[in-house]
Amino acid sequence: MLILPLACGRSNGDDDVTIKILYCGICHTDLHIIKNEWRNAVYPIVPGHEIVGLVTETGRNVTKFKAGDRAAVGCLVGSCRCCDSCDRSLENYCPKLVLTYNSLDADGTVTYGGYSDWIVVNEHFVVKFPENLAMDKGAPLLCAGITVYSPMKNFGLDGPGKHLGVVGLGGLGHVAVKFGKAFGMKVTVISSTLKKKEEAIERLGADAFIISSDAGQMQAAMGTMDGIIDTVSGKHDVVPLISLLKTQGTIIMVGALEHPLELPVFPLITRGKILAGSGIGGMKETQEMIDFAAKHNITADIELIGADYVNEAIERLEKADVRYRFVIDVGNTLTAV
């Protein structure tokens, strides 16, 4: 059972920003950590890394924010700031990365996330949240958005004329479709069932829909895609997806699979195909992503819930019973218990 705290974390320091949390998305990662499925949970846990709110206090060295500003926090709140990854604005790959929750901070304390009413974060790891972007629907972009935006940018899947495949139409996949269309690409959703076809094409704007178990459909799409974003976190067969790629096309894995892939190398070798991984994004890229989303009116499809519904939401998330992200209305519903 989850009980949301009213407050947790450190006092505001010279380089810190204190944020009154208004909205926090519920990510599938939260479920993994709560259930200790990755064997790294440090209880008690306060989940939440899709955080949007208002600045209430700033340290004397802070220059980017002032009280009253919209601000957001995603999956990371610290890094060494001096390694090769950090120098390249890839703090998400820093060996000393500090995650927003369930992670050890530099002072040895455990970090706590957004299922709370406020958070204190170093200015470098706080994102300016655009005035014209809905705070509730925009919150999931701090994880789901950057998770799909980053590989699109880094693997050249961000321009007109390119053909993008999106495997899975969940919290990540539906946002990937929206970003893909905003980049001007042809987008094909690849799913294991037909039930989301109308949703994908009629409402989200995908150009095509393929059932992965339909041999005819897969054959017809063979060699047509420049890249594929695979968002599925459950066990599935990646090998048939390789045939959909053009020569030197890339499959980017962003779903956190619990089990190893079964992957023969010949389908990669014979056509120069690439299998890659991508994890969230650095701070510069996260700011770029949220500004792009505001410019193109990209938000997540959400179900807004009260703080008292979190336990039920987690249970429904485990059953994939959400289209496509739960967001907690922290500011209006979190009260003392």
Side-chain angles (χ1 to χ4, degrees):
M1 178 180 181
L2 293 174
I3 299 176
L4 274 67
L6 280 178
C8 57
R10 66 175 186 268
S11 300
N12 196 93
D14 290 345
D15 301 305
D16 292 334
V17 175
T18 298
I19 300 168
K20 167 65 178 174
I21 299 172
L22 299 181
Y23 300 98
C24 182
I26 297 179
C27 177
H28 208 278
T29 297
D30 301 347
L31 178 61
H32 287 303
I33 298 298
I34 291 167
K35 297 180 66 180
N36 197 22
E37 292 178 344
W38 294 339
R39 305 294 185 266
N40 66 343
V42 181
Y43 299 109
I45 295 165
V46 180
H49 57 203
E50 299 175 344
I51 302 165
V52 180
L54 297 175
V55 175
T56 60
E57 184 181 357
T58 60
R60 62 181 180 179
N61 296 333
V62 171
T63 59
K64 293 194 304 181
F65 297 94
K66 64 182 185 303
D69 284 351
R70 288 177 159 209
V73 178
C75 301
L76 58 154
V77 294
S79 70
C80 75
R81 308 283 296 278
C82 60
C83 67
D84 177 69
S85 293
C86 288
D87 286 344
R88 296 164 58 196
S89 298
L90 297 172
E91 301 93 338
N92 49 312
Y93 298 125
C94 174
K96 297 183 179 180
L97 172 70
V98 181
L99 298 172
T100 304
Y101 69 90
N102 195 56
S103 189
L104 281 181
D105 212 337
D107 61 2
T109 60
V110 176
T111 56
Y112 298 111
Y115 294 19
S116 182
D117 70 339
W118 60 266
I119 190 169
V120 179
V121 180
N122 183 287
E123 174 188 29
H124 181 79
F125 298 93
V126 180
V127 174
K128 294 181 178 180
F129 197 84
E131 291 291 334
N132 65 323
L133 193 64
M135 297 177 83
D136 54 354
K137 295 179 181 179
L141 299 181
L142 274 300
C143 176
I146 188 60
T147 297
V148 297
Y149 180 91
S150 179
M152 287 184 192
K153 295 290 290 187
N154 292 324
F155 289 93
L157 301 173
D158 60 349
K162 295 294 181 71
H163 185 184
L164 174 71
V166 176
V167 183
L169 197 67
L172 296 176
H174 89 286
V175 175
V177 173
K178 294 183 180 185
F179 275 116
K181 293 308 298 178
F183 283 133
M185 290 187 288
K186 177 182 179 180
V187 178
T188 296
V189 172
I190 306 158
S191 179
S192 59
T193 66
L194 186 63
K195 62 183 181 181
K196 292 184 178 180
K197 180 177 181 179
E198 183 176 353
E199 176 97 352
I201 294 176
E202 298 299 328
R203 201 168 66 79
L204 297 176
D207 299 283
F209 190 94
I210 295 175
I211 305 297
S212 57
S213 59
D214 188 313
Q217 292 184 20
M218 293 290 285
Q219 178 69 29
M222 184 179 294
T224 64
M225 300 180 188
D226 296 282
I228 295 172
I229 303 287
D230 189 335
T231 72
V232 177
S233 58
K235 187 175 182 180
H236 63 291
D237 190 358
V238 176
V239 176
L241 301 175
I242 297 173
S243 68
L244 302 178
L245 293 171
K246 296 177 181 177
T247 298
Q248 296 188 326
T250 306
I251 295 177
I252 307 107
M253 307 297 295
V254 298
L257 281 73
E258 295 178 50
H259 304 285
L261 292 174
E262 295 181 5
L263 187 68
V265 298
F266 276 100
L268 300 176
I269 292 174
T270 55
R271 291 293 298 276
K273 309 293 180 70
I274 302 165
L275 179 68
S278 180
I280 53 175
M283 297 313 303
K284 180 179 179 181
E285 199 168 48
T286 301
Q287 186 67 64
E288 177 186 303
M289 177 277 303
I290 206 74
D291 291 339
F292 182 88
K295 179 179 179 180
H296 294 274
N297 194 30
I298 297 172
T299 57
D301 291 7
I302 70 166
E303 181 176 332
L304 191 63
I305 63 169
D308 60 351
Y309 191 73
V310 169
N311 288 307
E312 290 85 348
I314 292 293
E315 291 174 358
R316 285 179 54 193
L317 178 61
E318 189 168 14
K319 300 173 184 175
D321 179 24
V322 57
R323 293 283 183 89
Y324 286 96
R325 264 299 205 263
F326 287 115
V327 173
I328 309 167
D329 185 356
V330 175
N332 289 317
T333 67
L334 180 58
T335 56
V337 293

